[in-house]
Amino acid sequence: MQAGDVVQLEFMRRPILVTGGAGFIGSNFILEWLAHEQAPVINLDKLTYAGNLANLASVCNHKRYSFVKGDIGDISLVLELLKGRRPSSIVHFAAESHVDRSIHSADDFIRTNIEGTFRLLQAAREYWTGLANEEKPQFKFLHVSTDEVYGTLRENDPPFSEDTAYAPNSPYSASKAASDHLVRAFHHTYGLPTLTTNCSNNYGPFQFPEKLIPLMINNAIQGQSLPIYGDGLNIRDWLYVTDHCEAIRQVLRLGRTGETYNIGGNCEKSNIEVVREICKMLSQLRPDRDYDSLVTYVKDRPGHDRRYAVDCRKISSEIGWKPQYSFHDGLASTISWYLENREWVESVTSGAYQHWLDLHYATETAKSEA
């Protein structure tokens, strides 16, 4: 083995730093990483409303897992962590991600998604600059983003590709678009080895029940109304979270520095189709009520994008990734998880969450975002 190969091998044995690892996708990623990879994981999370360490209870004592409570905007803390633990990569999930919340108040989205990402990039650049020359090419900064930065599609438009012009339509998607541009700029200006992924709508275990699928499951179980925005025909491309996590691991390993990769489930479904399928599955598992009768159409939200669809040919051809879960199998697994983990659901749907629902929907039943 040549000296350069030894350096690369040793470098890749170092931990990875995951930001926002107590959130929905981040926690699933950490669980998948520890199950399939050998490198340790450092989880940096501020633990805002959607960050929940209970998601990672099964690995809290794992010898290759450690947690640090902190803000990605605290550049001193991040630098101390980077220089002290010397990770091989940063996988950046930390973000405010709920469209409805961004419409009500965008401050946190600007602070975390734009300013926080900027501070994290500053710290990453300083750390990367200080690496040995033979280590620098091995380091990666992987930024996890969304297909919402591309705007909306008409019925017959082709899916979003990596070359689709950005046209964000909500404060949330605008803040993520800004963070994408910062990542690109740090690569092209400073040479920081970055990767960006833009994913479609995720679903699966540990998703906070303000999003469409877990909200519908939870409401249906409790016999509450299933509120659907507008005519229910807004279309999303649905991606099971385990498939997303596998794609990120592969992009981190095989992606070309400076590139963007779209990640989708190849599964376009309207919101009402999704809700009807949830009702159908619940009727088979718990045939104690007419779930379809709970569906209620409510006033559409401002600026609601009509359709998202993602072209995954680039990640498929360059890296060999394709989604493994059908929507039927992914949804069945998700519903089973929420039925079997009522204690987790109850813990996150009380207190502050209920206060948030009252604040946003004082005169209406809680709505959903997709």
Side-chain angles (χ1 to χ4, degrees):
M1 183 179 292
Q2 297 181 350
D5 295 329
V6 173
V7 170
Q8 180 178 354
L9 182 61
E10 290 299 320
F11 189 79
M12 298 313 293
R13 287 174 177 167
R14 293 183 186 179
I16 65 167
L17 174 63
V18 175
T19 72
F24 163 48
I25 304 176
S27 60
N28 275 281
F29 176 80
I30 288 175
L31 294 172
E32 289 295 312
W33 181 274
L34 291 172
H36 298 287
E37 305 285 350
Q38 295 303 309
V41 180
I42 308 160
N43 176 12
L44 174 64
D45 199 296
K46 189 178 178 180
L47 295 182
T48 57
Y49 78 95
N52 190 347
L53 288 180
N55 298 3
L56 296 161
S58 64
V59 298
C60 65
N61 295 316
H62 198 293
K63 65 181 180 181
R64 290 188 288 114
Y65 169 75
S66 59
F67 170 71
V68 177
K69 183 178 181 181
D71 189 337
I72 57 172
D74 185 346
I75 194 168
S76 298
L77 170 65
V78 175
L79 274 173
E80 180 181 354
L81 194 57
L82 291 174
K83 293 179 179 179
R85 300 294 299 274
R86 297 180 61 78
S88 64
S89 302
I90 297 172
V91 183
H92 178 35
F93 291 99
E96 296 288 341
S97 65
H98 191 243
V99 174
D100 287 353
R101 287 178 184 266
S102 78
I103 293 171
H104 181 78
S105 176
D107 293 32
D108 287 341
F109 292 77
I110 304 304
R111 186 177 305 110
T112 299
N113 299 356
I114 302 177
E115 295 177 4
T117 298
F118 173 60
R119 300 299 179 196
L120 184 65
L121 284 164
Q122 286 183 304
R125 179 192 169 207
E126 182 172 331
Y127 167 67
W128 171 72
T129 301
L131 292 174
N133 287 336
E134 61 270 22
E135 294 176 334
K136 287 182 179 179
Q138 311 306 325
F139 178 78
K140 298 290 186 298
F141 182 106
L142 193 154
H143 172 61
V144 180
S145 190
T146 172
D147 61 352
E148 296 190 38
V149 299
Y150 298 124
T152 189
L153 294 169
R154 292 171 300 218
E155 182 179 356
N156 296 317
D157 285 345
F160 301 130
S161 75
E162 290 81 359
D163 295 323
T164 300
Y166 277 30
N169 290 321
S170 72
Y172 159 63
S173 57
S175 69
K176 288 299 288 184
S179 67
D180 291 8
H181 292 322
L182 284 170
V183 172
R184 174 185 173 88
F186 267 68
H187 171 69
H188 285 274
T189 303
Y190 306 115
L192 185 69
T194 65
L195 297 156
T196 297
T197 58
N198 294 88
C199 69
S200 62
N201 278 55
N202 280 225
Y203 67 100
F206 301 114
Q207 188 169 30
F208 196 79
E210 63 189 358
K211 299 298 181 83
L212 179 68
I213 288 178
L215 178 61
M216 295 299 108
I217 295 170
N218 193 45
N219 280 16
I221 291 170
Q222 298 181 75
Q224 298 176 1
S225 67
L226 307 180
I228 308 296
Y229 277 137
D231 59 9
L233 299 180
N234 299 76
I235 292 171
R236 299 294 182 260
D237 180 353
W238 293 96
L239 173 65
Y240 190 60
V241 67
T242 300
D243 278 334
H244 186 196
C245 294
E246 173 62 18
I248 292 171
R249 289 198 300 120
Q250 292 195 31
V251 171
L252 189 63
R253 185 185 307 114
L254 301 172
R256 290 185 292 131
T257 298
E259 291 294 313
T260 294
Y261 295 91
N262 283 349
I263 303 171
N266 295 328
C267 177
E268 289 187 56
K269 288 188 178 294
S270 69
N271 289 346
I272 189 60
E273 283 183 276
V274 171
V275 175
R276 295 296 187 194
E277 188 65 24
I278 291 171
C279 291
K280 179 180 178 181
M281 289 187 177
L282 282 174
S283 295
Q284 296 168 351
L285 294 168
R286 289 192 173 186
D288 57 347
R289 62 169 52 95
D290 179 5
Y291 296 102
D292 283 297
S293 68
L294 300 174
V295 172
T296 305
Y297 291 91
V298 298
K299 182 180 178 181
D300 209 353
R301 75 165 178 230
H304 198 180
D305 288 339
R306 191 62 171 175
R307 172 177 168 244
Y308 302 148
V310 174
D311 183 340
C312 298
R313 285 179 292 180
K314 180 176 178 179
I315 190 174
S316 177
S317 62
E318 289 192 14
I319 294 178
W321 175 88
K322 292 182 180 179
Q324 298 301 306
Y325 283 81
S326 68
F327 183 73
H328 179 274
D329 291 346
L331 185 61
S333 177
T334 301
I335 291 174
S336 294
W337 188 90
Y338 279 92
L339 289 174
E340 294 165 5
N341 291 272
R342 298 307 301 160
E343 184 176 345
W344 181 91
V345 175
E346 290 166 7
S347 72
V348 302
T349 55
S350 59
Y353 173 71
Q354 288 298 329
H355 174 72
W356 183 85
L357 288 180
D358 292 341
L359 175 65
H360 286 69
Y361 308 118
T363 59
E364 298 180 29
T365 304
K367 305 183 183 75
S368 62
E369 182 275 327

